[in-house]
Amino acid sequence: MKKSNISKVLSSVRTSMAKHSPEILTGIGIAGMITTTVMAVRATPKALILIEERKEEIGAEKLETVDTVKTTWFCYIPAAITGTLSIVCLIGASSVNARRNAALATAYTLSESALKDYQGKVVEMFGEKKHETVKDAIAKDKIEKNPIATQEVIITEKGNTLCYDVLSGRYFKGDIDKIKKAENELNRQMRDEMYISLNDFYYEIGLENIKLGDELGWNINEGYIDLSFSSQLASDGTPCLVIDYAVAPRYDYRVLM
């Protein structure tokens, strides 16, 4: 194998290990804790023998705690070392995840700020009507990229109008009045509780929770939930109400400024 190919392989391995370091560290930590338990169990018979020998040596029926520790501590050194390294791996995995989440939240905030500036400049330069035309065009693109023929339509008890949620990419049966009512109710609730999660909104309109639904939400200091609606035709010709968010849910919504 050529030297350049070896370098590429090593670089690829390093990149892969860095990318999956939390999973690797967690796996090592769990395996280490299991190994620690096994080693401690195996060391116990030897420790018991040493205790009995020590009793005979000093002529006592029972050893004091301090004497027991002095007699047997070195039997558990390998288990203690393995246990310590396992804890370090688990703490390291948690630390890496925390740093990545912080970086993700920062990147999301910067992207959100840039989007708000862009939207404001579009309205300023071309007017509100042109801005709505652009939003409708974007909604149409989202429908075309996610044709109803390839998606499950979720049946709720909230209405019979075909709706499409741009955040979760789900088609469902709903009603614009009930969706607006849910929006108003959650905004009222936000005045008391200061923030609302995305899953809270989905629950109100009859949709199941999503994985990121508890990580994303709205904070009253950043603005109320402000839904945007666009009427489009789904790929099968069915009228479809596209639901977008003028104020996007954010990651650090629980942080009160």
Side-chain angles (χ1 to χ4, degrees):
M1 185 180 290
K2 295 181 179 180
K3 186 175 181 181
S4 60
N5 291 335
I6 295 175
S7 298
K8 289 180 180 179
V9 171
L10 291 176
S11 177
S12 177
V13 170
R14 285 196 298 268
T15 301
S16 180
M17 290 185 67
K19 181 179 179 180
H20 298 286
S21 58
E23 294 89 341
I24 294 172
L25 289 171
T26 300
I28 294 174
I30 293 173
M33 296 305 292
I34 295 173
T35 302
T36 298
T37 303
V38 172
M39 293 176 70
V41 170
R42 288 181 176 177
T44 299
K46 182 179 179 181
L48 292 175
I49 292 173
L50 292 174
I51 289 173
E52 292 300 322
E53 291 177 351
R54 178 60 177 167
K55 286 181 184 178
E56 293 178 3
E57 180 182 340
I58 64 176
E61 293 185 2
K62 185 178 181 181
L63 295 182
E64 296 292 334
T65 302
V66 174
D67 203 9
T68 300
V69 173
K70 288 181 178 179
T71 303
T72 62
W73 68 273
F74 57 87
C75 297
Y76 296 97
I77 289 177
I81 293 174
T82 304
T84 301
L85 293 175
S86 301
I87 292 172
V88 170
C89 287
L90 292 172
I91 292 174
S94 177
S95 177
V96 171
N97 276 325
R99 289 198 300 271
R100 288 184 178 179
N101 289 337
L104 180 61
T106 301
Y108 180 86
T109 300
L110 292 174
S111 298
E112 183 185 33
S113 176
L115 177 60
K116 286 182 178 179
D117 291 342
Y118 176 78
Q119 290 175 335
K121 186 58 67 174
V122 169
V123 173
E124 178 186 331
M125 294 181 66
F126 303 106
E128 186 66 34
K129 184 175 291 187
K130 199 70 175 180
H131 177 59
E132 292 298 325
T133 302
V134 172
K135 286 172 60 179
D136 286 343
I138 292 173
K140 183 179 179 181
D141 286 344
K142 290 183 181 294
I143 288 289
E144 291 176 349
K145 290 177 181 178
N146 295 277
I148 190 172
T150 62
Q151 301 286 333
E152 174 190 4
V153 178
I154 301 170
I155 306 300
T156 72
E157 298 179 355
K158 305 289 186 177
N160 296 311
T161 302
L162 180 65
C163 302
Y164 178 76
D165 173 57
V166 298
L167 278 182
S168 61
R170 293 182 288 183
Y171 285 95
F172 66 98
K173 291 296 183 72
D175 179 88
I176 188 170
D177 290 332
K178 292 181 179 179
I179 294 171
K180 287 182 176 179
K181 182 179 178 181
E183 174 188 8
N184 292 332
E185 174 60 27
L186 289 174
N187 281 335
R188 182 201 62 77
Q189 186 177 331
M190 203 187 324
R191 287 196 291 270
D192 297 327
E193 301 180 6
M194 304 306 291
Y195 52 77
I196 292 293
S197 75
L198 178 59
N199 274 341
D200 289 333
F201 171 67
Y202 286 149
Y203 175 80
E204 288 294 327
I205 63 175
L207 292 178
E208 294 290 331
N209 291 352
I210 63 172
K211 188 174 181 180
L212 281 175
D214 289 327
E215 302 298 326
L216 297 173
W218 293 269
N219 186 300
I220 193 170
N221 292 326
E222 298 295 326
Y224 289 108
I225 302 171
D226 187 6
L227 301 179
S228 173
F229 301 96
S230 175
S231 297
Q232 301 295 328
L233 289 177
S235 58
D236 63 352
T238 304
C240 181
L241 182 69
V242 180
I243 303 170
D244 206 341
Y245 304 81
V247 177
R250 55 185 300 162
Y251 268 99
D252 54 350
Y253 69 98
R254 294 187 182 89
V255 179
L256 300 179
M257 302 299 182

